[in-house]
């Protein structure tokens, strides 16, 4: 299935031949370079040989260096840079020889196969082999167990209903939100050792270094241009997930094949077991070093982390670890792109319209974020049932969790300060109306 065309062209590419100066001009990083010579003189020294190259000092910009390279029956001149590695573009090389080798391969392939490269993504093999076929069975039933689909509700005034909550909102069922735990690939430029073929288009990934990109979560290898066409179907590999805290929420739940992060489940379970009556729950801080220990335990041991009373008698340590986990998410539970929608919803004066707007925002959350928030709000609702003991009302919990669950896209301290009232109100309303909103 894999195509050999580009691999054969790489084998045919001209080999570099350095033309050195017979005497040392300067003790700088480029030994035996040619000093300040003209382009015409450089042409003469290269002698028309394909792949021949030399380094000279620029006449136009003294003190800078130029790579003169013979390719396609002409001399190409590139400004040469050095910052510990050599480069003329994005790629950085240990030696100028490697830089020229990679450049000749790229020039040769892009010259000989420009039309082929332009069309190589039009008939991908991605759906038929490799990564996708191995994951297909997992993706059919992944996360199907225990899923709670978001309900779409309409908030309507009904004066005949006396319950304070239901008076604000009578539910109407409508089509459920179709959810799948989709995750985009986390592609990063990668240098492959030995020949590698793209797992999207099946073509060879040419060059010496940075030939393509690899998903750091699942290991998928593709051309940089192909990465823009790969579906959002990343299935993270647990062997590649180095930690639990500060890991993207969707990445973590997909890697562990769960609906919510284990940290949320385990901490809430422990808190509800022995901490619901603890005065100042979530407001009183646990000892910071012990909270850090819990974090390290989850990162090291995952779901086998021991957070029992025998290990951490103070329930505020577990509550603090849960808040730290939520605060350290690279994308908050209420995502950056929906932040302003929730803030604006909180500013709506009409109570029914305000709840409607918050509900609309919830429906737009990624599934892993929605499920985590739903589970957390149900827990916090139970916390408020013990308000006489723990002194934590929905408003108090909103003050604590507002800035934890919602963070503005730009880390602007003034904007965060101005939005604190709305952050608190959003969380307070989600707790008070948890059974309606979710």
């Amino acid at each position: 299935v894999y195509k050999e065309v580009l691999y054969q062209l790489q084998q045919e590419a001209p080999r570099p031949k350095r033309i050195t100066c017979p005497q040392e001009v300067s003790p700088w990083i480029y030994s035996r370079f040619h000093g300040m010579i003209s382009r015409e003189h450089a042409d003469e020294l290269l002698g028309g040989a394909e792949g021949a190259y030399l380094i000279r000092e620029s006449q136009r910009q003294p003190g800078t260096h130029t790579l003169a390279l013979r390719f396609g029956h002409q001399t190409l001149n590139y400004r040469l840079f050095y910052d510990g590695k050599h480069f003329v573009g994005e790629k950085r090389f240990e030696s100028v020889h490697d830089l020229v080798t990679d450049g000749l391969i790229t020039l040769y392939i892009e010259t000989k196969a420009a039309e082929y490269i332009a069309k190589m993504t039009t008939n991908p093999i991605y759906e038929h082999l490799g990564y996708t076929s191995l994951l297909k069975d997992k993706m059919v039933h992944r996360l199907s167990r225990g899923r709670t689909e978001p309900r779409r509700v309409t908030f309507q005034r009904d004066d005949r209903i006396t319950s304070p909550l239901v008076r604000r909102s009578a539910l109407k069922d409508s089509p459920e939100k179709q959810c799948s735990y989709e995750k985009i690939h986390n592609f990063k430029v990668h240098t492959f050792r030995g020949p590698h073929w793209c797992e999207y288009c099946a073509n060879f990934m040419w060059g010496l270094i940075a030939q393509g990109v690899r998903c750091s979560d699942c290991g998928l290898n593709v051309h940089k241009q192909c990465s823009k066409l790969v579906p959002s179907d990343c299935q993270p590999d647990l062997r590649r997930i180095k930690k639990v805290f500060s890991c993207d929420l969707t990445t973590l739940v997909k890697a562990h094949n769960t609906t919510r992060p284990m940290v949320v489940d385990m901490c809430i379970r422990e808190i509800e077991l022995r901490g619901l009556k603890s005065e100042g729950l979530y407001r009183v801080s646990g000892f910071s070093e012990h909270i850090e220990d819990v974090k390290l335990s989850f990162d090291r041991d995952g779901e086998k982390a021991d957070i029992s009373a025998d290990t951490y008698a103070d329930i505020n340590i577990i509550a603090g670890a849960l808040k730290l986990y939520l605060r350290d998410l690279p994308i908050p539970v209420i995502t950056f792109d929906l932040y302003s929608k929730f803030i604006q919803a909180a500013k709506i004066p009409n109570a029914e319209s305000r709840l409607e707007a918050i509900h609309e925002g919830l429906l737009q959350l990624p599934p892993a974020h929605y499920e985590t928030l739903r589970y957390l709000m149900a827990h916090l609702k139970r916390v408020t049932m013990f308000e006489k003991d723990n002194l934590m009302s929905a408003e108090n919990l909103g003050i604590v969790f507002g800035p934890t669950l919602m963070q503005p896209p730009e880390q602007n301290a003034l904007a965060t300060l101005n939005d604190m009232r709305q952050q608190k109100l959003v969380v307070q309303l989600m707790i008070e109306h948890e059974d309606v909103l979710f």
Side-chain angles (χ1 to χ4, degrees), residues 152-175:
R152 179 176 291 279
V153 300
T154 303
F155 298 88
Q156 293 182 330
R157 182 84 178 195
D158 190 341
D159 292 328
R160 295 170 299 172
I161 302 174
T162 57
S163 164
L165 174 60
V166 184
R167 184 166 55 245
R168 291 195 193 98
S169 52
L171 299 184
K172 277 188 178 180
D173 291 331
S174 67

Side-chain angles (χ1 to χ4, degrees), residues 222-268:
V222 295
H223 290 111
K224 188 174 181 180
Q225 59 265 48
C226 291
S227 68
K228 300 170 185 175
L229 304 173
V230 175
S232 299
D233 61 357
C234 177
Q235 176 61 35
D237 186 338
L238 268 177
R239 292 170 296 180
R240 297 178 180 275
I241 306 301
K242 305 299 183 186
K243 56 187 177 180
V244 172
F245 277 64
S246 302
C247 177
D248 171 65
L249 211 160
T250 302
T251 299
L252 190 67
V253 299
K254 291 197 72 172
H256 288 270
N257 199 27
T258 59
T259 54
R260 295 176 299 275
M262 69 184 77
V263 180
V264 174
D265 274 6
M266 291 175 64
C267 288
I268 287 178

